[in-house]
């Protein structure tokens, strides 16, 4: 992320809008929204800031929902990037439980669900993403959940904590695998359906996907692969089993459908903004409409390093893009050029990944360390350059991996694989 000092003050640009000094409006109540609000104040913006959040919650972050919070190891306060008191203390109006229903970029107004309108100088769309819904027969039975919100996690946590439940996970992505791990650790019996032969192989390839899958199998998770649900079956309105498309019946007290997310673009689309796998934005996170910005899971931004659009559905991007969006709203020359980063925790496997996933498809995999011991760093090499790197149960190497990617220098494969050569020295 690069920034340079503003040459025009926020109040200068505010005079262009129909309601002078109407202030900044942020739509969405997630990590991106909280980070943007905090950055506006840190950068010295003194005008009105309003967050419109449809969930009845103080803005929170989601990663613990499938990990420590679901396991009962972290409390609700640990979800908050900013304490509830921060908002009034910084004169930020937080409209909880309030959906924005329309955006008018010409009039510079946002309409709320109760019909009132808010004028803005600049608006940020941080509306995130929502679980993809697949209309499996039986999906409305009691005991079937999608998993995105704190409310979802609280409801499922209560059931998991009792233990000894039959849980069927539909979806073998990161969130499906994390929930499977947490449910198992809490003493439940988990079966997991996925469309890939090896879970996570679309993201990290089958060799590395197998590391996570094998750990899950050791802990007792049953995999049905490749398979999806033909039908969710029930009795008296509550789920009892899942019939797979391969003809297997899996007993189920709880079914969780975690088959990916779709960006919440409705508001932007209705306002006539350019939509392209999310809301299309420049590297400065400006949409196709003047004074309208988008960031976080909903935004598909032009990455200055790859020259391609990329939409990231990860925690680090919510923070980085929330900061860049706020600075851009203030007229600063900010650009989202971070190397994408994410992490996962499953049982005793801790992982961090940095890099450009789209460039790894034709890349060569180089491993330093031991896949068997589950302590290694994986590098993806394209034309002799590192385009992504992932550390599993090896720590404090992310900065060095990112430096390798940013430098785009050609590297020696033998050194890359050699644990005795510091990554910084390659
Ligand atoms: C269970 C779970 C575990 C995760 N674990 C990890 C992890 O380990 N590592 C990682 O890197 N990432 C993880 N993620 C992804 C990460 O949480 C997201 O990338 C991040 O939440 C994106 O933040 P956001 O603010 O852009 O969107 P969101 O968190 O989706 O927030 C958007 C908010 O805007 C609200 N909204 C939408 N439309 C409107 C409207 N019209 N009016 C008002 N409000 C609206 C939504 O209801 C929502 O509250 C996980 C996600 C989930 C669900």
């Amino acid at each position: 992320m690069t920034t340079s000092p503003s040459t025009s003050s926020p109040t200068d640009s505010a005079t262009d809008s129909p309601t002078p000094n109407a202030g900044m409006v942020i739509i969405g109540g997630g990590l991106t929204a909280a980070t943007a609000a905090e950055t506006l104040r840190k950068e010295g913006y003194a005008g009105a800031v309003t967050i419109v959040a449809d969930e009845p919650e103080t803005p929170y972050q989601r990663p613990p929902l499938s990990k420590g919070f679901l396991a009962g190891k972290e409390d609700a306060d640990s979800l908050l990037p900013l304490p509830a008191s921060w908002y009034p203390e910084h004169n930020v109006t937080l409209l909880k439980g309030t959906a924005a229903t329309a955006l008018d970029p010409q009039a510079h107004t946002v309409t709320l669900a109760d019909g009132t309108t808010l004028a803005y100088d600049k608006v940020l769309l941080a509306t995130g993403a929502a679980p993809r819904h697949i209309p499996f027969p039986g999906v409305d039975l009691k005991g079937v959940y999608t998993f995105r919100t704190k409310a979802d996690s609280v409801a499922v946590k209560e059931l998991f904590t009792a233990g000894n439940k039959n849980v069927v996970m539909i979806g073998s992505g990161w969130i499906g695998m994390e929930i499977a791990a947490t449910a198992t650790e809490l003493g439940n019996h988990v079966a997991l359906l996925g469309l890939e032969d090896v879970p996570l192989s679309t993201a990290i390839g089958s060799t590395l996907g197998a590391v996570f899958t094998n750990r899950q199998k050791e802990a007792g998770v049953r995999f049905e692969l490749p398979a999806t649900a033909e039908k969710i079956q029930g009795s008296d309105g509550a789920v009892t089993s899942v019939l797979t498309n391969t003809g297997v019946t899996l007993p189920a007290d709880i079914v969780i459908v975690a088959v990916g997310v779709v960006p919440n673009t409705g508001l932007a689309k209705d306002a006539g903004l350019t939509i392209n796998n999310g809301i299309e934005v420049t590297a400065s996170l400006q949409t196709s409409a003047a004074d309208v910005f988008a960031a976080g899971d909903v935004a598909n931004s032009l990455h200055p390093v790859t020259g391609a659009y990329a939409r990231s559905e990860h925690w680090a991007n919510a923070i980085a893009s929330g900061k860049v969006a706020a600075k851009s709203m203030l007229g600063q020359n900010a650009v989202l050029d971070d190397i994408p980063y994410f992490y996962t925790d499953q049982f005793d496997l801790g992982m961090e990944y940095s890099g450009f996933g789209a460039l790894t498809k034709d890349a060569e995999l180089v491993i330093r360390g031991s896949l068997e011991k589950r302590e290694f760093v994986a590098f993806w090499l394209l034309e002799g350059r590192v385009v992504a790197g992932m550390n599993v149960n090896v720590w404090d190497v992310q900065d060095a991996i990112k430096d390798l990617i940013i430098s785009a220098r050609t590297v020696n494969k033998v050194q890359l694989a050699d644990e005795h050569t510091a990554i910084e020295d390659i």
Side-chain angles (χ1 to χ4, degrees):
M1 174 175 24
T2 51
T3 59
S4 67
S6 169
T7 47
S8 65
S9 77
T11 38
D12 290 336
S13 56
T15 55
D16 298 337
S17 79
T19 310
N21 303 319
M24 306 295 194
V25 172
I26 300 170
I27 303 177
L31 182 57
T32 306
T35 307
E38 184 184 30
T39 306
L40 286 171
R41 289 298 185 232
K42 277 190 174 165
E43 293 295 309
Y45 179 70
V49 176
T50 304
I51 299 178
V52 182
D54 63 3
E55 289 186 63
E57 303 283 349
T58 299
Y60 64 95
Q61 53 186 341
R62 300 181 196 272
L65 298 181
S66 51
K67 310 180 188 70
F69 181 73
L70 184 61
K73 295 176 190 162
E74 292 170 36
D75 64 13
D77 279 352
S78 71
L79 301 176
L80 302 181
L82 299 167
S85 57
W86 183 90
Y87 300 87
E89 281 166 13
H90 291 81
N91 201 18
V92 169
T93 304
L94 174 57
L95 302 177
K96 293 195 251 183
T98 304
T101 53
L103 167 71
D104 185 336
Q106 275 71 45
H108 281 64
T109 57
V110 172
T111 304
L112 307 183
D114 66 3
T116 57
T117 55
L118 286 178
Y120 66 79
D121 293 323
K122 305 279 167 72
V123 65
L124 173 62
L125 303 178
T127 48
R132 176 174 289 120
H133 280 277
I134 299 184
F136 297 114
V139 79
D140 294 327
L141 287 165
K142 187 164 179 276
V144 181
Y145 296 87
T146 52
F147 203 96
R148 180 78 187 174
T149 63
K150 182 180 167 192
D152 295 333
S153 185
V154 167
V156 168
K157 180 182 184 168
E158 204 168 299
L159 300 169
F160 279 2
T161 307
N164 210 24
K165 297 275 192 304
N166 288 314
V167 181
V168 175
M169 291 296 315
I170 303 175
S172 60
W174 296 110
I175 290 176
M177 294 284 272
E178 287 178 0
I179 298 171
T182 305
T184 304
E185 284 178 329
L186 290 171
N188 300 286
H189 316 288
V190 181
L192 196 148
L193 311 183
L195 291 177
E196 300 164 303
D197 290 328
V198 179
L200 308 176
S201 54
T202 307
I204 55 174
S206 53
T207 303
L208 300 175
V211 172
F212 292 89
T213 309
N214 290 338
R215 179 66 187 89
Q216 298 253 355
K217 283 182 181 168
E218 265 177 32
V221 176
R222 170 178 174 179
F223 285 86
E224 294 292 334
L225 303 165
T228 185
E230 181 77 26
K231 196 175 172 190
I232 303 172
Q233 307 179 117
S235 158
D236 296 331
V239 64
T240 54
S241 64
V242 173
L243 173 66
T244 71
N245 62 344
T246 49
V248 178
T249 299
L250 300 165
D253 303 305
I254 306 161
V255 173
I256 297 178
V257 184
V259 291
V261 295
V262 285
N264 290 322
T265 54
L267 206 59
K269 194 172 173 208
D270 291 348
L273 272 54
T274 302
I275 305 296
N276 158 26
N277 176 30
I279 303 172
E280 187 178 295
V281 288
T282 65
S284 300
L285 308 186
Q286 299 183 44
T287 69
S288 57
D291 299 330
V292 182
F293 297 77
D297 278 15
V298 78
N300 188 17
S301 65
L302 190 62
H303 200 288
V305 175
T306 60
Y309 283 95
R311 192 173 64 76
S312 172
E313 295 168 356
H314 293 300
W315 172 88
N317 176 63
I319 296 172
S321 66
K323 288 180 184 170
V324 169
K327 291 177 181 181
S328 287
M329 291 164 86
L330 294 173
Q332 298 180 17
N333 185 18
V335 167
L336 185 65
D337 58 6
D338 292 50
I339 304 289
Y341 165 92
F342 69 97
Y343 65 93
T344 185
D345 295 312
Q346 298 170 31
F347 298 105
D348 51 4
L349 294 181
M351 174 279 241
E352 297 176 285
Y353 177 108
S354 283
F356 299 102
L359 301 182
T360 61
K361 304 302 166 206
D362 299 317
E364 183 183 353
L365 189 61
V366 176
I367 305 291
R368 131 185 316 234
S370 165
L371 292 180
E372 290 71 31
K373 285 189 193 154
R374 298 172 182 144
E375 285 178 15
F376 61 91
V377 184
F379 298 95
W380 282 264
L381 271 187
L382 191 64
E383 294 166 5
R385 296 177 170 85
V386 175
V387 293
M390 170 177 116
N391 48 299
V392 172
N393 287 356
V394 171
W395 302 108
D396 302 325
V397 291
Q398 271 296 313
D399 287 348
I401 291 172
K402 283 184 182 162
D403 284 347
L404 268 185
I405 298 170
I406 292 166
S407 76
R409 59 182 182 269
T410 48
V411 294
N412 178 313
K413 269 195 285 184
V414 176
Q415 283 189 329
L416 207 54
D418 176 16
E419 287 179 274
H420 303 294
T421 305
I423 297 174
E424 291 82 352
D425 297 338
I426 296 169

